[in-house]
Amino acid sequence: MISTSLDDVKKVLSENLDMEGIDLNSLKEDSPLFSGLGLDSLDAIELVIILRKNYDIVIENMDEGRNVFQTLETLRKYIEAKRKK
Amino acid sequence: MSQNWTGKSLGSSFFQNLLGFFIKYGGKYIAYFILYFVVIFYTLLPSVRRKASFYLKRRFPESSALELFFHTYKLNLTFGKILTDRAILGIRGESEVVSSEADKQLCRDLLAKGKGLIILTAHCGCWQAAMSSFDFLPEEKYVLYHKSREDVDKHAHELSGKKSPVKFIDPASFGGGLIETLAVLQKKAILCAMADRTFGDKVNSVEVDFLCGKIDAPFGIYRIAAAQETPIAVIFFPYKGSGKIDSVIADIFYVEDKGGRLVNNYLKEVEKFAKSLEKFTREYPYQFFNYYNMWK
């Protein structure tokens, strides 16, 4: 089984997104990605690109994206589930 | 005073249906004849002249009020003819897109690289018929296109009752439709995007020079092109007279992936597009159809 820890996900996000001023240690599993991390619609595109480049995962549409990008935990679970396949 | 884009059609659905009736039962020349009078009526409306003036005053800055009136008439007439031709295409199937064999081969070569193809165009010429000129390519075709609820203009496939040859992605959705865009390009599809207006989130726009002023143009599509290594072809579709549409490849380029969402990473490409569009307005002054104040 491939594990993807919350810290792994936080590290990838911090390396690829502009998260200046956000303390990574303060982010919890249920931290909302957009209101919590101050991300906007362009960051949503960056998230999709990050998933493709770092994990070879393709988000097909925004409906799927909306569910995946709710919180750090929903994103982590999605990556883990896709990588198992 | 600023006037934002509303998506409301210039003509009413009554006149559009009337034209449709004449096209169906009288043929295209009857429809053109009626059009001259319909356009005079609309050009006399102050609201229509005002909508056209934002562009025309920049394209023809030295014009007197009378000259501006005639410029407005010519602009509206060309727009009317293009809409009439689109209806003719839908109702009677009579229309011809002229593309040179060299341009067709260029598109085939770009697609052969296996990264899909982004066609950037603008609200000018026969942009609504644009994708018809790519029937020679077997790949799936998508258009990043927002249709306002107040837009009563019908596409050719809506008039013919046939299935649309393209699928639409709404740029007014969250993320400017760019997430769906990325997914379809990964399937090596062809995507056509209007690069002269920003829909949805305004963070996806950058200020560039255009016709002696500054406009906001979207840059998200260039980010996608960079991430996906997809070639961009800037193509315009000038109206060449009754039933004839040309396709002009104004530019072809790749966007270097500098990573991230920094506006300045894509400014050069957005400026390239704006310059190509400005050149188009110099060659075809009555084929630019942004009837609102797009300048800041």
Side-chain angles (χ1 to χ4, degrees):
Chain A
M1 179 180 154
I2 301 161
S3 76
T4 308
S5 72
L6 195 64
D7 285 340
D8 290 340
V9 175
K10 283 199 273 189
K11 188 165 175 280
V12 170
L13 295 187
S14 68
E15 284 171 356
N16 292 279
L17 298 175
D18 179 13
M19 291 168 60
E20 201 176 323
I22 293 175
D23 176 13
L24 284 183
N25 294 323
S26 71
L27 297 175
K28 306 289 179 214
E29 288 182 346
D30 59 353
S31 293
L33 282 179
F34 287 89
S35 56
L37 274 65
L39 305 184
D40 58 29
S41 62
L42 277 179
D43 290 313
I45 296 158
E46 291 303 319
L47 279 170
V48 174
I49 294 169
I50 289 167
L51 287 180
R52 185 174 65 77
K53 286 194 169 175
N54 292 50
Y55 303 102
D56 201 22
I57 295 170
V58 176
I59 299 265
E60 292 287 339
N61 54 60
M62 202 51 229
D63 288 337
E64 190 180 359
R66 250 183 221 112
N67 294 326
V68 176
F69 299 147
Q70 282 180 28
T71 65
L72 278 173
E73 180 61 4
T74 57
L75 177 60
R76 189 196 68 76
K77 277 187 174 168
Y78 182 77
I79 294 169
E80 194 171 76
K82 285 282 181 179
R83 291 183 75 188
K84 276 184 198 170
K85 288 181 181 174
Chain B
M1 192 178 149
S2 171
Q3 183 173 324
N4 293 328
W5 180 80
T6 62
K8 190 177 179 183
S9 296
L10 208 61
S12 69
S13 55
F14 170 75
F15 275 121
Q16 300 218 10
N17 291 334
L18 189 69
L19 269 178
F21 174 83
F22 283 115
I23 291 166
K24 196 167 183 178
Y25 299 105
K28 65 179 176 183
Y29 293 106
I30 296 284
Y32 287 146
F33 180 74
I34 301 292
L35 184 68
Y36 282 91
F37 298 100
V38 171
V39 170
I40 288 173
F41 169 78
Y42 275 105
T43 307
L44 286 169
L45 296 177
S47 63
V48 171
R49 289 205 305 281
R50 185 164 176 272
K51 284 177 181 175
S53 71
F54 299 114
Y55 159 65
L56 290 172
K57 279 182 178 173
R58 288 173 187 277
R59 178 59 186 80
F60 302 103
E62 308 294 328
S63 296
S64 66
L66 186 63
E67 284 169 332
L68 210 56
F69 180 87
F70 284 109
H71 290 316
T72 308
Y73 179 76
K74 285 182 182 176
L75 183 75
N76 293 345
L77 184 62
T78 316
F79 191 40
K81 282 181 178 174
I82 287 170
L83 290 179
T84 304
D85 274 16
R86 190 174 66 173
I88 291 167
L89 173 67
I91 294 168
R92 299 174 73 99
E94 298 167 14
S95 195
E96 183 189 0
V97 182
V98 187
S99 302
S100 75
E101 196 47 49
D103 283 357
K104 285 181 180 176
Q105 191 54 46
L106 195 54
C107 291
R108 287 190 196 101
D109 292 345
L110 291 170
L111 274 163
K113 296 182 190 302
K115 299 287 185 181
L117 176 64
I118 295 174
I119 294 163
L120 289 190
T121 189
H123 295 82
C124 61
C126 306
W127 56 270
Q128 289 131 322
M131 292 313 274
S132 309
S133 61
F134 295 95
D135 289 346
F136 66 96
L137 296 169
E139 282 78 3
E140 277 192 14
K141 298 165 191 78
Y142 293 81
V143 179
L144 200 57
Y145 174 74
H146 176 70
K147 182 160 182 168
S148 160
R149 284 180 187 173
E150 293 189 81
D151 183 354
V152 297
D153 301 345
K154 286 180 179 166
H155 288 272
H157 72 270
E158 291 173 314
L159 290 161
S160 66
K162 291 179 187 166
K163 193 183 165 199
S164 170
V166 299
K167 291 172 185 161
F168 293 95
I169 298 172
D170 188 356
S173 62
F174 181 77
L178 295 172
I179 288 158
E180 286 85 349
T181 298
L182 190 67
V184 302
L185 288 175
Q186 282 168 7
K187 292 191 273 188
K188 302 174 180 57
I190 303 169
L191 178 103
C192 182
M194 313 302 293
D196 57 339
R197 289 184 197 162
T198 307
F199 293 97
D201 202 334
K202 292 290 177 192
V203 296
N204 169 29
S205 69
V206 58
E207 190 179 282
V208 287
D209 291 325
F210 180 65
L211 286 177
C212 309
K214 301 272 185 195
I215 61 165
D216 276 335
F219 73 87
I221 193 73
Y222 304 93
R223 173 70 190 110
I224 297 286
Q228 189 61 21
E229 299 170 15
T230 303
I232 289 180
V234 178
I235 308 181
F236 300 120
F237 303 89
Y239 178 68
K240 289 287 191 177
S242 176
K244 282 202 167 51
I245 304 164
D246 197 0
S247 69
V248 176
I249 299 183
D251 205 351
I252 285 176
F253 54 87
Y254 284 85
V255 186
E256 185 189 347
D257 191 359
K258 295 173 186 165
R261 48 170 287 176
L262 289 177
V263 171
N264 285 341
N265 286 354
Y266 312 101
L267 181 60
K268 187 179 76 180
E269 284 78 16
V270 184
E271 285 175 338
K272 262 187 181 187
F273 176 81
K275 282 199 173 75
S276 295
L277 185 56
E278 198 167 303
K279 190 176 171 214
F280 178 89
T281 65
R282 281 200 296 273
E283 286 181 42
Y284 302 98
Y286 304 111
Q287 297 197 28
F288 183 77
F289 306 120
N290 278 305
Y291 282 91
Y292 73 105
N293 188 5
M294 64 195 294
W295 287 268
K296 299 180 95 174

